[in-house]
Amino acid sequence: MNYLRSFIPWLVFAAVSSAGWQWGALAGLVTAAALLVADRAAGLSLDYRLLEYGTLLFFAALSVLAFARPDSGLQMYGSALSTGWLALIAWVSIAAQRPFTMGIARRMAPPEVWHTPLFRRINVVLTAAWALSFTLTALAQTAVSAYHGNVIYSIVIQIAGFVLPIRFTAAYPERARARFMENSGARNDIQGDMAS
């Protein structure tokens, strides 16, 4: 559930946007800033926080646009824009070799595993799963908005776009660790056989 904390500004944006997208953007910006300040006050390092910085940047830009042009046609594509931005953050974090899930995982994992190849590999795979889900969700949301689809479709797409990677995130790390231990055991057996 630590993953959901990072998405609180996006949930706030979705909830408050019904009162006006400019208010949703401003609420998302204030929430993102408050979470970063709280993390800093708690002594958490701000390294590996591309998601949080990207969130702040998105809501700052969207707030300016939404207040300057409250009637902009982009308002109709709010879900697609926000999910597309999340996809961009996720893909960029992988390219920058700082997968966004590492910042979240470091809250749960002991410091001695943070620099291991397994920890890094797990987070690259998890971030790629989120990036793919965000990308597909943004494309689907764009189609729903462009063709004036029913809001129910948009809600179902948005929920699926988060539930699927959450389920994968819950299951994958343990499977990856088990596979690693299995492979390490096989290597140790081979090395033992060669030594004798």
Side-chain angles (χ1 to χ4, degrees):
M1 286 299 147
N2 279 319
Y3 281 86
L4 291 182
R5 184 182 188 282
S6 299
F7 297 112
I8 289 173
W10 303 92
L11 298 172
V12 168
F13 168 64
V16 177
S17 286
S18 59
W21 74 315
Q22 64 272 42
W23 301 113
L26 185 60
L29 176 62
V30 168
T31 304
L35 287 172
L36 260 179
V37 168
D39 281 353
R40 192 66 194 143
L44 294 174
S45 167
L46 296 182
D47 291 346
Y48 293 94
R49 300 297 173 126
L50 288 176
L51 176 60
E52 288 82 354
Y53 294 132
T55 298
L56 231 105
L57 179 63
F58 176 82
F59 286 122
L62 189 64
S63 293
V64 170
L65 172 66
F67 277 102
R69 302 263 329 268
D71 58 343
S72 170
L74 287 177
Q75 178 179 0
M76 186 171 76
Y77 293 92
S79 290
L81 285 171
S82 60
T83 312
W85 185 259
L86 284 168
L88 181 64
I89 291 170
W91 291 120
V92 166
S93 76
I94 292 171
Q97 298 182 4
R98 292 186 176 273
F100 84 81
T101 58
M102 285 184 86
I104 300 164
R106 284 177 165 208
R107 292 180 186 187
M108 300 174 281
E112 57 269 14
V113 302
W114 292 356
H115 301 289
T116 64
L118 178 62
F119 185 76
R120 175 167 288 285
R121 175 71 184 142
I122 287 171
N123 280 284
V124 167
V125 171
L126 291 177
T127 300
W130 283 94
L132 179 60
S133 182
F134 290 147
T135 302
L136 295 175
T137 301
L139 292 172
Q141 292 286 26
T142 300
V144 168
S145 295
Y147 293 104
H148 307 289
N150 190 312
V151 71
I152 296 297
Y153 296 135
S154 182
I155 292 169
V156 168
I157 291 165
Q158 200 69 39
I159 290 171
F162 277 89
V163 169
L164 295 175
I166 285 172
R167 290 182 58 109
F168 181 74
T169 297
Y172 177 75
E174 196 52 47
R175 285 197 325 250
R177 280 190 287 274
R179 192 175 320 121
F180 176 78
M181 295 305 287
E182 190 177 292
N183 289 341
S184 293
R187 268 196 301 264
N188 288 340
D189 289 345
I190 291 169
Q191 288 172 349
D193 289 344
M194 292 173 70
S196 53

